[in-house]
Amino acid sequence: PMVEFLNFEVLEDHGWALEDEDLFAKAADANLQSSDFGRFYVDPNDTLLEAAEKNGFAWPFACRGGACTNCAVAVVDGEMPSPASHILPPELTEKGIRLSCIAAPVSDDAKIVYNLKHLPEVSELLL
Ligand code: FES
């Protein structure tokens, strides 16, 4: 799968919201740093976090086992199944929030906002 990514901290800086329909179009026009906005390919068998690291990006993580939410991302477009065992409550998985250390997109293309640990509903779960 090809993943287009955006740093959640950029949303805060620009006053954008996860729900904005044209979020990635606005990001494309904003002249962002390559670590904040870009794309990479996820090899089959890699988690999204592993794919980001293979491509030279330092995305947040701690436990690498679905137990801490440091690696949380929001799936804005595309399919990224959530494994059965992890710490996220259903309210967050229903909103498309996933843990990048234990999952990866399965659709050909996906739009992902990383650094979701700064979203208040996620940060209150941080361990
Ligand atoms: Fe802890 Fe992913 S790094 S849940």
Side-chain angles (χ1 to χ4, degrees), residues 11 14 25 34 49 66 74 84 86 126:
L11 276 61
H14 286 79
S34 59
L49 178 63
H86 61 75
L126 278 179

Side-chain angles (χ1 to χ4, degrees), residues 49 61-71 99-101:
L49 178 63
F61 69 90
C63 72
R64 302 187 87 98
C68 77
T69 73
N70 278 285
C71 68
L99 297 173
S100 66
C101 71

Side-chain angles (χ1 to χ4, degrees), residues 67-83:
C68 77
T69 73
N70 278 285
C71 68
V73 301
V75 181
V76 171
D77 195 27
E79 291 288 323
M80 179 157 156
S82 197

Side-chain angles (χ1 to χ4, degrees), residues 7-16 118-120:
N7 185 348
F8 184 68
E9 288 183 305
V10 170
L11 276 61
E12 295 178 319
D13 292 346
H14 286 79
W16 300 338
H118 297 293
L119 183 76

